[in-house]
């Protein structure tokens, strides 16, 4: 179910789909594949919106999708992609054949990701599955209402959910597969993925994808 999903480092995700390669928050890319059909950005922090890494994955026909609230910031990448599309939280979208929903991503007990910034996570509808890429978020009511087949959730703590909170979230929403991200680079330890996996309960299956 997840053989077409790669987590490069941190929260940098690649998905091979029927519409081509989809990247979410490319960051610290070691290679320059230049093959993106779509690049989706969750928010404007440097470890999620990196023009340097967008340049490594973007091709001449790439569409960049960003939150409406970072429309101005996104212009830093305008020369690297064919077009930029903005979206808001809580939308059901279709962009050039790519169908997805946007889920608010924010902190409930921290100041790093205010709800008022209208930053987002994505539920990608591709290859008959719903893939939830949570972005930098806590276990919000909106996250707890997500229905998906695969969930990629941050576990590093400090700026997002920690291991226990992320495990509790996936145990509640019950995707078939839960993949931990946002650890072992800027925040969290490389062992956090294994600690998360131990807390995930059946029927959910935890898979570790980050390439250290």
């Amino acid at each position: 179910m997840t053989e077409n999903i790669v987590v490069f480092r941190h929260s940098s995700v690649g998905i091979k789909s029927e519409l081509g390669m989809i990247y979410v928050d490319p960051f610290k890319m070691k290679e320059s594949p230049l093959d993106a059909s779509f690049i989706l950005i969750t928010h404007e922090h440097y470890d999620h919106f990196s023009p340097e890494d967008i340049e490594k994955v973007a091709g001449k026909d790439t569409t960049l999708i960003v939150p409406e609230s970072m429309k101005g910031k996104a212009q830093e990448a305008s020369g690297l992609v064919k077009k930029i599309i903005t979206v808001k939280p809580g939308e059901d979208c279709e962009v050039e054949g790519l169908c997805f929903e946007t889920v608010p991503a924010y902190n409930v007990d921290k100041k790093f990701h205010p709800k008022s910034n209208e930053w987002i996570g994505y539920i990608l509808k591709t290859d008959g599955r719903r893939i939830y890429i949570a972005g930098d978020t806590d276990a919000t009511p909106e996250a707890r209402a997500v229905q998906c087949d695969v969930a990629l959730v941050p576990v590093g703590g400090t700026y997002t959910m920690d291991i226990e909170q992320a495990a509790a979230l996936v145990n509640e929403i019950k995707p078939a597969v839960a993949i931990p991200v946002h650890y072992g680079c800027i925040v969290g330890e490389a062992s956090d993925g294994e600690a998360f996996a131990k807390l995930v309960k059946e029927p959910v299956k935890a898979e570790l994808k980050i390439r250290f």
Side-chain angles (χ1 to χ4, degrees):
M1 175 176 285
T2 65
E3 60 278 355
N4 64 329
I5 299 175
V6 176
V7 182
F8 300 101
R9 289 189 73 187
H10 198 50
S11 293
S12 177
V13 177
I15 301 172
K16 296 179 182 178
S17 78
E18 69 269 23
L19 296 173
M21 277 298 301
I22 302 168
Y23 292 89
V24 184
D25 292 351
F27 180 62
K28 290 188 178 297
M29 298 293 296
K30 295 180 179 179
E31 300 175 350
S32 300
L34 305 175
D35 61 350
S37 294
F38 300 91
I39 301 172
L40 285 69
I41 302 298
T42 61
H43 64 292
E44 64 183 50
H45 287 164
Y46 77 94
D47 53 330
H48 296 265
F49 175 63
S50 169
E52 175 185 353
D53 290 284
I54 288 173
E55 185 174 12
K56 292 180 180 179
V57 301
K60 60 183 176 63
D61 295 320
T62 300
T63 296
L64 177 64
I65 300 171
V66 304
E68 171 72 27
S69 60
M70 60 171 288
K71 183 177 182 179
K73 180 77 171 177
Q75 294 308 306
E76 295 178 15
S78 62
L80 305 175
V81 297
K82 184 176 182 179
K83 65 175 66 173
I84 299 175
I85 302 293
T86 62
V87 292
K88 294 183 177 181
E91 292 186 333
D92 197 339
C93 307
E94 181 176 351
V95 175
E96 298 178 353
L98 178 64
C99 296
F100 59 92
E101 298 169 18
T102 56
V103 182
Y106 60 93
N107 293 139
V108 296
D109 59 357
K110 313 173 188 69
K111 61 183 180 181
F112 305 106
H113 305 89
K115 188 175 183 180
S116 59
N117 283 1
E118 295 193 328
W119 293 336
I120 56 180
Y122 296 92
I123 302 174
L124 301 179
K125 305 173 185 178
T126 177
D127 298 307
R129 293 170 298 156
R130 293 169 59 86
I131 302 172
Y132 176 40
I133 301 172
D136 278 12
T137 190
D138 287 327
T140 65
E142 293 91 343
R144 293 170 63 189
V146 164
Q147 296 181 350
C148 63
D149 301 296
V150 180
L152 292 94
V153 294
V155 306
T158 306
Y159 307 107
T160 68
M161 292 179 277
D162 61 21
I163 297 165
E164 290 80 10
Q165 293 165 335
L169 173 64
V170 299
N171 288 337
E172 180 175 352
I173 66 175
K174 293 182 172 60
V177 179
I179 300 171
V181 299
H182 206 277
Y183 69 95
C185 179
I186 291 172
V187 68
E189 305 296 332
S191 60
D192 286 351
E194 295 176 0
F196 167 81
K198 291 178 180 178
L199 296 176
V200 172
K201 301 177 182 178
E202 293 183 351
V204 185
K205 178 184 178 183
E207 291 187 7
L208 307 185
K209 290 274 192 177
I210 289 184
R211 299 175 172 180
F212 291 110

PDB file of all heavy atoms in Angstrom, residues 121-140:
ATOM      1  N   GLY A 121      -2.528  20.731   6.253  1.00  0.00           N
ATOM      2  CA  GLY A 121      -2.112  19.409   5.855  1.00  0.00           C
ATOM      3  C   GLY A 121      -2.941  19.030   4.636  1.00  0.00           C
ATOM      4  O   GLY A 121      -3.883  19.735   4.262  1.00  0.00           O
ATOM      5  N   TYR A 122      -2.601  17.930   4.007  1.00  0.00           N
ATOM      6  CA  TYR A 122      -3.302  17.502   2.785  1.00  0.00           C
ATOM      7  C   TYR A 122      -3.777  16.057   2.905  1.00  0.00           C
ATOM      8  O   TYR A 122      -3.075  15.214   3.465  1.00  0.00           O
ATOM      9  CB  TYR A 122      -2.370  17.589   1.576  1.00  0.00           C
ATOM     10  CG  TYR A 122      -1.892  18.970   1.224  1.00  0.00           C
ATOM     11  CD1 TYR A 122      -0.697  19.467   1.736  1.00  0.00           C
ATOM     12  CD2 TYR A 122      -2.612  19.782   0.355  1.00  0.00           C
ATOM     13  CE1 TYR A 122      -0.234  20.738   1.402  1.00  0.00           C
ATOM     14  CE2 TYR A 122      -2.168  21.053   0.007  1.00  0.00           C
ATOM     15  CZ  TYR A 122      -0.977  21.528   0.532  1.00  0.00           C
ATOM     16  OH  TYR A 122      -0.530  22.788   0.201  1.00  0.00           O
ATOM     17  N   ILE A 123      -4.953  15.789   2.371  1.00  0.00           N
ATOM     18  CA  ILE A 123      -5.381  14.418   2.115  1.00  0.00           C
ATOM     19  C   ILE A 123      -5.387  14.244   0.599  1.00  0.00           C
ATOM     20  O   ILE A 123      -6.254  14.781  -0.097  1.00  0.00           O
ATOM     21  CB  ILE A 123      -6.775  14.118   2.692  1.00  0.00           C
ATOM     22  CG1 ILE A 123      -6.806  14.373   4.195  1.00  0.00           C
ATOM     23  CG2 ILE A 123      -7.160  12.666   2.390  1.00  0.00           C
ATOM     24  CD1 ILE A 123      -8.202  14.231   4.809  1.00  0.00           C
ATOM     25  N   LEU A 124      -4.394  13.541   0.102  1.00  0.00           N
ATOM     26  CA  LEU A 124      -4.298  13.306  -1.337  1.00  0.00           C
ATOM     27  C   LEU A 124      -5.145  12.101  -1.713  1.00  0.00           C
ATOM     28  O   LEU A 124      -5.074  11.056  -1.063  1.00  0.00           O
ATOM     29  CB  LEU A 124      -2.845  13.061  -1.734  1.00  0.00           C
ATOM     30  CG  LEU A 124      -1.853  14.179  -1.417  1.00  0.00           C
ATOM     31  CD1 LEU A 124      -0.455  13.759  -1.848  1.00  0.00           C
ATOM     32  CD2 LEU A 124      -2.255  15.462  -2.103  1.00  0.00           C
ATOM     33  N   LYS A 125      -5.930  12.251  -2.775  1.00  0.00           N
ATOM     34  CA  LYS A 125      -6.759  11.158  -3.269  1.00  0.00           C
ATOM     35  C   LYS A 125      -6.111  10.649  -4.549  1.00  0.00           C
ATOM     36  O   LYS A 125      -6.290  11.205  -5.628  1.00  0.00           O
ATOM     37  CB  LYS A 125      -8.181  11.654  -3.540  1.00  0.00           C
ATOM     38  CG  LYS A 125      -8.844  12.321  -2.339  1.00  0.00           C
ATOM     39  CD  LYS A 125     -10.177  12.949  -2.714  1.00  0.00           C
ATOM     40  CE  LYS A 125     -10.790  13.717  -1.576  1.00  0.00           C
ATOM     41  NZ  LYS A 125     -12.066  14.375  -1.965  1.00  0.00           N
ATOM     42  N   THR A 126      -5.323   9.597  -4.397  1.00  0.00           N
ATOM     43  CA  THR A 126      -4.556   9.109  -5.538  1.00  0.00           C
ATOM     44  C   THR A 126      -4.496   7.592  -5.520  1.00  0.00           C
ATOM     45  O   THR A 126      -4.394   6.971  -4.457  1.00  0.00           O
ATOM     46  CB  THR A 126      -3.130   9.707  -5.528  1.00  0.00           C
ATOM     47  OG1 THR A 126      -2.375   9.152  -6.610  1.00  0.00           O
ATOM     48  CG2 THR A 126      -2.399   9.433  -4.230  1.00  0.00           C
ATOM     49  N   ASP A 127      -4.586   6.996  -6.686  1.00  0.00           N
ATOM     50  CA  ASP A 127      -4.516   5.536  -6.832  1.00  0.00           C
ATOM     51  C   ASP A 127      -5.529   4.830  -5.934  1.00  0.00           C
ATOM     52  O   ASP A 127      -5.245   3.768  -5.380  1.00  0.00           O
ATOM     53  CB  ASP A 127      -3.096   5.037  -6.535  1.00  0.00           C
ATOM     54  CG  ASP A 127      -2.065   5.610  -7.505  1.00  0.00           C
ATOM     55  OD1 ASP A 127      -2.275   5.482  -8.724  1.00  0.00           O
ATOM     56  OD2 ASP A 127      -1.085   6.204  -7.040  1.00  0.00           O
ATOM     57  N   GLY A 128      -6.692   5.435  -5.778  1.00  0.00           N
ATOM     58  CA  GLY A 128      -7.764   4.813  -5.003  1.00  0.00           C
ATOM     59  C   GLY A 128      -7.576   4.870  -3.499  1.00  0.00           C
ATOM     60  O   GLY A 128      -8.296   4.192  -2.751  1.00  0.00           O
ATOM     61  N   ARG A 129      -6.632   5.673  -3.033  1.00  0.00           N
ATOM     62  CA  ARG A 129      -6.380   5.771  -1.591  1.00  0.00           C
ATOM     63  C   ARG A 129      -6.427   7.222  -1.137  1.00  0.00           C
ATOM     64  O   ARG A 129      -6.279   8.150  -1.934  1.00  0.00           O
ATOM     65  CB  ARG A 129      -4.994   5.194  -1.250  1.00  0.00           C
ATOM     66  CG  ARG A 129      -4.853   3.708  -1.465  1.00  0.00           C
ATOM     67  CD  ARG A 129      -3.412   3.302  -1.348  1.00  0.00           C
ATOM     68  NE  ARG A 129      -2.602   3.957  -2.361  1.00  0.00           N
ATOM     69  CZ  ARG A 129      -1.288   4.176  -2.264  1.00  0.00           C
ATOM     70  NH1 ARG A 129      -0.643   3.775  -1.195  1.00  0.00           N
ATOM     71  NH2 ARG A 129      -0.631   4.764  -3.224  1.00  0.00           N
ATOM     72  N   ARG A 130      -6.604   7.366   0.157  1.00  0.00           N
ATOM     73  CA  ARG A 130      -6.562   8.684   0.781  1.00  0.00           C
ATOM     74  C   ARG A 130      -5.297   8.745   1.653  1.00  0.00           C
ATOM     75  O   ARG A 130      -5.178   8.000   2.624  1.00  0.00           O
ATOM     76  CB  ARG A 130      -7.809   8.922   1.641  1.00  0.00           C
ATOM     77  CG  ARG A 130      -9.093   9.019   0.803  1.00  0.00           C
ATOM     78  CD  ARG A 130     -10.334   8.990   1.690  1.00  0.00           C
ATOM     79  NE  ARG A 130     -10.356  10.077   2.662  1.00  0.00           N
ATOM     80  CZ  ARG A 130     -10.839  11.298   2.414  1.00  0.00           C
ATOM     81  NH1 ARG A 130     -11.342  11.584   1.205  1.00  0.00           N
ATOM     82  NH2 ARG A 130     -10.846  12.239   3.355  1.00  0.00           N
ATOM     83  N   ILE A 131      -4.367   9.600   1.265  1.00  0.00           N
ATOM     84  CA  ILE A 131      -3.085   9.720   1.951  1.00  0.00           C
ATOM     85  C   ILE A 131      -3.061  11.054   2.689  1.00  0.00           C
ATOM     86  O   ILE A 131      -3.065  12.122   2.064  1.00  0.00           O
ATOM     87  CB  ILE A 131      -1.913   9.634   0.965  1.00  0.00           C
ATOM     88  CG1 ILE A 131      -1.962   8.312   0.188  1.00  0.00           C
ATOM     89  CG2 ILE A 131      -0.578   9.772   1.702  1.00  0.00           C
ATOM     90  CD1 ILE A 131      -0.945   8.235  -0.938  1.00  0.00           C
ATOM     91  N   TYR A 132      -3.032  10.989   4.012  1.00  0.00           N
ATOM     92  CA  TYR A 132      -3.052  12.177   4.851  1.00  0.00           C
ATOM     93  C   TYR A 132      -1.625  12.574   5.214  1.00  0.00           C
ATOM     94  O   TYR A 132      -0.898  11.806   5.841  1.00  0.00           O
ATOM     95  CB  TYR A 132      -3.856  11.889   6.119  1.00  0.00           C
ATOM     96  CG  TYR A 132      -3.893  12.994   7.158  1.00  0.00           C
ATOM     97  CD1 TYR A 132      -4.016  14.329   6.803  1.00  0.00           C
ATOM     98  CD2 TYR A 132      -3.826  12.672   8.514  1.00  0.00           C
ATOM     99  CE1 TYR A 132      -4.068  15.334   7.770  1.00  0.00           C
ATOM    100  CE2 TYR A 132      -3.889  13.669   9.492  1.00  0.00           C
ATOM    101  CZ  TYR A 132      -4.005  14.991   9.107  1.00  0.00           C
ATOM    102  OH  TYR A 132      -4.058  15.982  10.073  1.00  0.00           O
ATOM    103  N   ILE A 133      -1.228  13.759   4.807  1.00  0.00           N
ATOM    104  CA  ILE A 133       0.067  14.316   5.180  1.00  0.00           C
ATOM    105  C   ILE A 133      -0.229  15.490   6.094  1.00  0.00           C
ATOM    106  O   ILE A 133      -0.682  16.546   5.654  1.00  0.00           O
ATOM    107  CB  ILE A 133       0.873  14.729   3.940  1.00  0.00           C
ATOM    108  CG1 ILE A 133       1.071  13.498   3.037  1.00  0.00           C
ATOM    109  CG2 ILE A 133       2.211  15.328   4.338  1.00  0.00           C
ATOM    110  CD1 ILE A 133       1.666  13.800   1.706  1.00  0.00           C
ATOM    111  N   ALA A 134      -0.006  15.300   7.376  1.00  0.00           N
ATOM    112  CA  ALA A 134      -0.584  16.177   8.392  1.00  0.00           C
ATOM    113  C   ALA A 134       0.049  17.559   8.453  1.00  0.00           C
ATOM    114  O   ALA A 134      -0.598  18.510   8.911  1.00  0.00           O
ATOM    115  CB  ALA A 134      -0.492  15.503   9.764  1.00  0.00           C
ATOM    116  N   GLY A 135       1.306  17.708   8.019  1.00  0.00           N
ATOM    117  CA  GLY A 135       1.972  18.982   8.225  1.00  0.00           C
ATOM    118  C   GLY A 135       2.359  19.145   9.688  1.00  0.00           C
ATOM    119  O   GLY A 135       2.309  18.202  10.481  1.00  0.00           O
ATOM    120  N   ASP A 136       2.729  20.352  10.050  1.00  0.00           N
ATOM    121  CA  ASP A 136       3.127  20.622  11.437  1.00  0.00           C
ATOM    122  C   ASP A 136       1.882  20.937  12.254  1.00  0.00           C
ATOM    123  O   ASP A 136       1.350  22.055  12.191  1.00  0.00           O
ATOM    124  CB  ASP A 136       4.118  21.781  11.490  1.00  0.00           C
ATOM    125  CG  ASP A 136       5.534  21.341  11.183  1.00  0.00           C
ATOM    126  OD1 ASP A 136       5.702  20.196  10.717  1.00  0.00           O
ATOM    127  OD2 ASP A 136       6.469  22.135  11.398  1.00  0.00           O
ATOM    128  N   THR A 137       1.443  19.973  13.023  1.00  0.00           N
ATOM    129  CA  THR A 137       0.174  20.120  13.727  1.00  0.00           C
ATOM    130  C   THR A 137       0.186  19.348  15.034  1.00  0.00           C
ATOM    131  O   THR A 137       1.017  18.450  15.238  1.00  0.00           O
ATOM    132  CB  THR A 137      -0.991  19.634  12.848  1.00  0.00           C
ATOM    133  OG1 THR A 137      -2.240  19.984  13.450  1.00  0.00           O
ATOM    134  CG2 THR A 137      -0.948  18.130  12.626  1.00  0.00           C
ATOM    135  N   ASP A 138      -0.718  19.716  15.893  1.00  0.00           N
ATOM    136  CA  ASP A 138      -1.030  18.912  17.065  1.00  0.00           C
ATOM    137  C   ASP A 138      -2.227  18.022  16.727  1.00  0.00           C
ATOM    138  O   ASP A 138      -2.753  18.066  15.606  1.00  0.00           O
ATOM    139  CB  ASP A 138      -1.356  19.817  18.260  1.00  0.00           C
ATOM    140  CG  ASP A 138      -0.118  20.499  18.824  1.00  0.00           C
ATOM    141  OD1 ASP A 138       0.967  19.888  18.779  1.00  0.00           O
ATOM    142  OD2 ASP A 138      -0.230  21.642  19.310  1.00  0.00           O
ATOM    143  N   ALA A 139      -2.662  17.255  17.693  1.00  0.00           N
ATOM    144  CA  ALA A 139      -3.821  16.374  17.475  1.00  0.00           C
ATOM    145  C   ALA A 139      -5.099  17.201  17.646  1.00  0.00           C
ATOM    146  O   ALA A 139      -5.801  17.114  18.643  1.00  0.00           O
ATOM    147  CB  ALA A 139      -3.794  15.216  18.455  1.00  0.00           C
ATOM    148  N   THR A 140      -5.381  18.003  16.645  1.00  0.00           N
ATOM    149  CA  THR A 140      -6.511  18.923  16.671  1.00  0.00           C
ATOM    150  C   THR A 140      -7.825  18.182  16.414  1.00  0.00           C
ATOM    151  O   THR A 140      -7.824  17.031  15.936  1.00  0.00           O
ATOM    152  CB  THR A 140      -6.330  19.985  15.584  1.00  0.00           C
ATOM    153  OG1 THR A 140      -6.387  19.330  14.300  1.00  0.00           O
ATOM    154  CG2 THR A 140      -4.996  20.701  15.727  1.00  0.00           C
TER     155      THR A 140
END
